Amino acid sequence: MLIRPRRNRKSRSIRELVQEHHITTDDLIFPLFLLEQPKGAIEVASMPGIYRLGIEPMLKEIEECLKLGIKAFDIFPVVEEKHKDKMATRSKNQDFFYLKALKQIKQSFPEACIMTDVAMDPYSTDGHDGIVDENGAILNDETLEVLGDMALAQAGTGIDIIGPSDMMDGRVGYLRDCLDRNGFKEVSIMSYTAKYASAFYGPFRDALDSAPKSGDKKTYQMDPANQREALIEAQLDMEEGADFLMVKPALSYLDIIKLLKENSDVPVAAYNVSGEYAMVAAASEKGWLDKEQVMNEVLLSIKRAGADIILTYFAKQFALHAKR
Ligand code: PBG
């Protein structure tokens, strides 16, 4: 035998020399859920180890993560039902706890990269990402103004990246124009480019209590059966000025990550979503899987597929337990 591939696996030091892909905390964005009660901390039942936090514990959490090398955070508000309405009006209200908290976070940690979502669902009594008309249709163009106001209110807090996440048409171009015309040329856009109508978002919707009250999201999020359609979305997002493209979920869509990586010049992010975290957490609670090893393998697979950036609920656990 002339060629023995096992020779390159014979010791840890050789394996590390030939290791093709690495994950570091530089690659990660940690999604966090913000509660209105300043001191609150409530675990998400379907995401063991992940807490909804009020601003006080959240500032501590961000400080700890920064020390561990995690520098980017995607912060979602948990909006109480009494603050929701059909037009998501709270999302632009300067006195709303979320916008005040974002300001406080950026003032406390100017070096941290803070990202926010731009979509109606956390603030909407309908639980949909856009305005719902009397026939139950989700309106595309009519929703733009709400999103523009939301994006400007978020940008005004000093955050770094907005993430249009509703998977409807014309978002990136409209929001880029809004931001630029209002003095926010430096605010980046990470577009949820290929976001699929996935059942893996279940635990996230538990965390925010944001599940649709009727129907599903199939008229705006992509069909899990489709691959080439992601190229149309990527093309449009790049033409409209997106700074980053995103694929979501990650694990069942590794082919899509690869496809976008090969067909775009902007960085590609992948969102390792709530249900993907929940599967690993649940199996490890049962003693069926080794959480840390599976976490490493999952993150590597996403990186290997081509993701430059990974949004993941494992971020802090990775930073704490990463192989050094
Ligand atoms: C809101 C939004 C969702 C997620 C991120 N932003 C849920 C949805 O579209 O229903 C899911 C994130 C996760 O599951 O971790 N538009």
Side-chain angles (χ1 to χ4, degrees):
M1 255 185 274
L2 255 185
I3 298 175
R4 288 182 179 269
R6 283 191 65 191
R7 277 197 289 264
N8 281 352
R9 303 180 202 132
K10 74 182 168 207
S11 68
R12 177 162 173 181
S13 51
I14 291 186
R15 287 194 297 275
E16 290 183 353
L17 283 175
V18 302
Q19 183 174 339
E20 295 176 42
H21 295 278
H22 297 84
I23 309 279
T24 78
T25 50
D26 294 348
D27 307 318
L28 306 180
I29 300 179
F30 192 13
L32 295 169
F33 303 121
L34 182 78
L35 276 180
E36 182 164 5
Q37 296 72 22
K39 293 181 195 300
I42 307 172
E43 194 171 26
V44 183
S46 46
M47 301 177 77
I50 298 295
Y51 290 78
R52 287 164 281 205
L53 299 173
I55 181 66
E56 293 182 18
M58 181 158 299
L59 288 169
K60 285 207 194 85
E61 178 75 348
I62 292 175
E63 189 176 3
E64 269 179 56
C65 288
L66 287 168
K67 286 191 185 132
L68 291 167
I70 299 165
K71 292 157 286 181
F73 305 88
D74 190 2
I75 300 177
F76 297 91
V78 181
V79 181
E80 289 175 26
E81 203 60 35
K82 64 174 192 251
H83 295 317
K84 297 184 184 182
D85 61 25
K86 269 196 89 63
M87 298 297 284
T89 43
R90 280 299 192 290
S91 64
K92 61 174 175 186
N93 185 331
Q94 294 298 336
D95 294 325
F96 198 45
F97 76 96
Y98 178 56
L99 295 174
K100 290 202 288 199
L102 291 174
K103 212 176 272 175
Q104 216 177 325
I105 291 167
K106 270 311 284 190
Q107 277 166 3
S108 308
F109 308 109
E111 73 279 26
C113 170
I114 305 296
M115 170 169 166
T116 54
D117 240 39
V118 177
M120 287 177 66
D121 52 330
Y123 313 91
S124 153
T125 35
D126 293 307
H128 275 289
D129 292 31
I131 300 170
V132 183
D133 79 3
E134 58 281 2
N135 304 315
I138 320 293
L139 304 178
N140 193 86
D141 300 13
E142 292 79 349
T143 300
L144 283 168
E145 198 179 321
V146 178
L147 300 180
D149 291 346
M150 188 185 306
L152 291 179
Q154 293 174 356
T157 68
I159 56 101
D160 304 272
I161 305 178
I162 60 158
S165 68
D166 73 6
M167 271 314 279
M168 295 186 217
D169 301 331
R171 272 39 187 163
V172 173
Y174 179 86
L175 293 173
R176 183 71 271 158
D177 189 50
C178 266
L179 291 170
D180 289 356
R181 278 190 292 106
N182 288 278
F184 298 114
K185 290 193 177 67
E186 294 302 323
V187 173
S188 313
I189 298 183
M190 180 181 289
S191 178
Y192 284 65
T193 299
K195 176 174 178 183
Y196 286 83
S198 168
F200 283 105
Y201 308 147
F204 175 96
R205 294 177 190 167
D206 292 345
L208 298 196
D209 192 18
S210 64
K213 298 283 165 31
S214 65
D216 53 40
K217 298 193 175 184
K218 290 181 183 167
T219 67
Y220 43 107
Q221 299 179 347
M222 277 177 61
D223 185 341
N226 292 356
Q227 186 183 63
R228 287 168 58 228
E229 192 180 333
L231 291 174
I232 303 177
E233 294 286 355
Q235 190 63 42
L236 286 169
D237 283 351
M238 285 188 289
E239 283 167 15
E240 292 178 32
D243 300 287
F244 311 84
L245 306 183
M246 189 209 289
V247 175
K248 177 179 172 192
L251 281 187
S252 297
Y253 300 87
L254 295 174
D255 58 323
I256 311 298
I257 297 172
K258 184 152 199 232
L259 185 72
L260 293 206
K261 183 57 176 272
E262 286 169 350
N263 288 282
S264 70
D265 301 318
V266 293
V268 175
Y271 200 140
N272 176 213
V273 300
S274 57
E276 298 173 325
Y277 174 88
M279 289 195 297
V280 178
S284 74
E285 274 194 351
K286 278 183 166 283
W288 291 352
L289 287 177
D290 180 305
K291 192 174 185 181
E292 272 131 43
Q293 287 190 44
V294 173
M295 165 183 79
N296 275 309
E297 201 172 324
V298 160
L299 295 175
L300 266 178
S301 73
I302 298 169
K303 189 87 191 273
R304 202 180 63 235
D308 301 291
I309 300 163
I310 306 173
L311 295 97
T312 180
Y313 301 96
F314 287 121
K316 188 178 184 193
Q317 292 168 53
F318 173 84
L320 285 168
H321 303 291
K323 187 182 69 171
R324 302 237 180 253

